[in-house]
Amino acid sequence: QVQLVESGGGLVQAGGSLRLSCAASGSIFRVNEMGWYRQAPGKQRELVATINDDSRTNYADSVKGRFTISRDNAKDTVYLQMNNLKPEDTAVYYCGARLLGWGVYNYWGQGTQVTVSS
């Protein structure tokens, strides 16, 4: 089992910044990739950014150049630095973990709300 706890969401004005954190615990050695996804009201959950064991990253086109995903292996924590936030970034942000050998994410956090006002 892997447990994920997000933090760092909140209300910010357009153009502002936030940093989300995702602390992982449990069978972390089995995790091959971690990522951030988001879900806005009435929309499906969508990929924001991922980072794998080799620290290779992947971003949605809508956040490239504004968001940065990183990891601190000593703290078993993944971060999402979000700059130049836009109202369309408003959503619940979820941290997820994918185990080695799996094609889908196996574990999710409870989510953290990010609201960007115009």
Side-chain angles (χ1 to χ4, degrees):
Q1 289 282 353
V2 175
Q3 294 78 42
L4 303 171
V5 179
E6 303 104 331
S7 61
L11 173 65
V12 64
Q13 288 188 331
S17 298
L18 284 174
R19 189 176 82 156
L20 306 183
S21 300
C22 174
S25 61
S27 302
I28 301 169
F29 64 92
R30 301 176 61 201
V31 175
N32 177 246
E33 179 181 284
M34 292 186 69
W36 289 95
Y37 284 68
R38 67 187 182 187
Q39 188 167 17
K43 295 187 177 181
Q44 290 190 333
R45 190 173 297 190
E46 63 177 7
L47 177 146
V48 177
T50 63
I51 186 166
N52 70 2
D53 272 356
D54 296 327
S55 291
R56 282 180 295 175
T57 59
N58 179 49
Y59 295 92
D61 288 343
S62 59
V63 306
K64 282 181 180 177
R66 300 188 298 123
F67 291 11
T68 303
I69 189 171
S70 62
R71 63 193 297 163
D72 184 337
N73 291 331
K75 297 182 178 180
D76 294 327
T77 300
V78 173
Y79 303 97
L80 185 68
Q81 178 66 44
M82 306 185 293
N83 298 328
N84 190 22
L85 282 160
K86 304 176 180 180
E88 51 263 43
D89 294 318
T90 295
V92 177
Y93 283 69
Y94 296 91
C95 174
R98 181 170 62 82
L99 301 180
L100 182 65
W102 287 77
V104 296
Y105 273 53
N106 308 87
Y107 299 99
W108 296 96
Q110 81 285 356
T112 185
Q113 177 71 46
V114 171
T115 303
V116 185
S117 63
S118 56

